[in-house]
């Protein structure tokens, strides 16, 4: 039974666009409606044909606004909400100086729980309804995140960061077994409600060979798990992996040998892949995750989208907060466009919006659940306003078609362009994350 209707200009993708102007890749209803019942989409189409079927359910009207499936972020670090915007370092120094310090605080359950609420509020404010999240090494971090997500009805993918060397002692497996902790969390959370688990070795530098192999064994033990880690982000990182794993022909080969690659393997960055690693990713159907704001901010390099796509590597898009500089997938798409411009490549607005929604859902194998507004999907929805700021409204005066509007949205838009987010058919209250009083030491 329909319990809510959202009406406005409805846009949902059917398949990956072949380029700008590919009108067959999406469904667009200028006067459209989404019928929702029991948290799922019942029907999508023209308002005049659907509204009579709604049986008096309340209608949320968004005249002129765009209604899309909620955005999906395929790589983000939940314990880095107070690492984002840390100055002046490249990857390995940035980890030591900022990230490893901040992540130690997540041993405290109250800190983890408070930040889980902030994190999920912030994602919703930016229109993101599902994210693949790295936790800290502490079970408390992921447990708090899953519990908060489940209370909100939001589907998240997450896992505790696993590391046993080359980090501060407090984050390593000393008196703690993060593979065992992962197994525990998998039993409690993987497939519980909307939550799914990702085995999360941070990267090859911080895990021994035995630990990576234990992660591979965990993936074989429980079906349907994800695996998330980092690959080929930075030249010093790659050199360190070569020193630590002298028997392996490449960084990617370390993950292949320890059983970590596959269709549910999400590999952050993949900037400096050699030909053999590209072949490994293609043959195992692993996913290269493009994190443009992070790649630019940490100075890691330019993702070669066209080269990977030409070789048949599956590609996803992500923020990588806190190395990334924005929670907004719109801003992430804008930086993806710019990073690709520097390589002489392009990202059409259609391709970008498909990636943020259906495309990212598809690489996760979740296209039947999220990423489109097809009947039967969860009613995770974002409502966008391309006139949200004076500069956007002014630019919109000259916009002639949908694609141009989408390009304005991704180039100039951010959380301010998100009019409303719905999770499982419920509007997420706006105005969350009020500014807290600064601590007394703040100048
Ligand atoms: Zn990352």
């Amino acid at each position: 039974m329909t319990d809510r209707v959202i009406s406005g200009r409805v846009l949902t993708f059917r398949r990956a666009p072949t380029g700008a102007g590919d009108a067959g890749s999406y469904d667009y209803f200028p006067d459209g409606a989404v019928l929702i019942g029991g948290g799922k989409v019942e029907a999508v189409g023209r308002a005049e044909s659907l509204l009579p079927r709604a049986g008096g359910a309340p209608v949320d009207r968004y005249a002129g606004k765009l209604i899309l499936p909620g955005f999906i972020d395929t790589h983000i670090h939940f314990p880095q909400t107070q690492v984002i915007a840390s100055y002046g370092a490249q990857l390995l120094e940035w980890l030591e100086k900022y990230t490893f310090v901040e992540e130690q605080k997540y041993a405290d359950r109250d800190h983890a729980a408070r930040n889980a609420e902030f994190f999920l509020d912030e994602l919703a404010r930016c229109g993101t309804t599902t994210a693949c999240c790295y936790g800290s090494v502490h079970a408390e971090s992921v447990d708090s995140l899953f519990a908060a997500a489940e209370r909100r009805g939001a589907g998240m993918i997450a896992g505790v960061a696993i590391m046993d060397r080359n980090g501060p002692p407090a984050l390593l497996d000393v008196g703690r077994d993060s593979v065992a902790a992962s197994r525990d969390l998998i039993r409690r959370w993987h497939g519980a409600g909307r939550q799914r688990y990702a085995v999360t070795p941070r990267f090859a530098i911080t895990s021994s060979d035995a630990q990576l192999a234990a992660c591979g064994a965990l993936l074989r033990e429980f079906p349907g798990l994800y695996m998330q880690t980092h690959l080929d982000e930075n030249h010093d990182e790659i050199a360190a992996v070569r020193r630590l794993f002298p028997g392996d022909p490449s960084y990617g080969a370390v993950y292949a040998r320890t059983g970590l690659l596959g269709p549910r393997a999400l590999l952050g960055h993949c900037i400096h892949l050699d030909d053999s690693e590209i072949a490994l990713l293609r043959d195992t159907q692993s996913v290269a995750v493009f994190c443009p704001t992070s790649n630019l901010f940490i100075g890691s390099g330019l993702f070669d989208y066209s080269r990977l796509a030409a070789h048949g590597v599956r590609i996803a898009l992500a923020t990588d907060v806190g190395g990334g500089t924005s929670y907004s997938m719109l801003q992430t798409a804008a930086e993806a466009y710019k990073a690709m411009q520097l390589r002489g490549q392009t990202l059409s607005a259609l391709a970008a919006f498909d990636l943020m929604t259906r495309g990212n859902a598809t690489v996760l194998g979740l296209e039947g659940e999220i990423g489109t507004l097809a009947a039967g999907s969860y009613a995770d929805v974002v409502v966008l306003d391309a006139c949200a700021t004076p500069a956007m409204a002014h630019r919109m005066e000259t916009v002639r078609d949908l694609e141009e509007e989408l390009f304005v949205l991704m180039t100039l838009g951010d959380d301010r362009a998100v009019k409303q987010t719905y999770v499982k058919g419920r509007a997420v209250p706006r105005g969350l994350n009020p500014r807290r009083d600064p601590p007394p030491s703040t100048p």
Side-chain angles (χ1 to χ4, degrees), residues 75 77 230 269 320:
H75 182 132
H77 296 260
H230 299 86
H269 309 301
D320 190 29

Side-chain angles (χ1 to χ4, degrees), residues 75-77 80 91 94 134 202 229-230 233 268-269 291 294 319-324:
H75 182 132
I76 185 165
H77 296 260
Q80 293 181 15
L91 179 64
W94 176 87
Y134 286 63
R202 180 184 287 279
T229 190
H230 299 86
E233 178 175 3
H269 309 301
C291 306
S294 171
T319 64
D320 190 29
V321 164

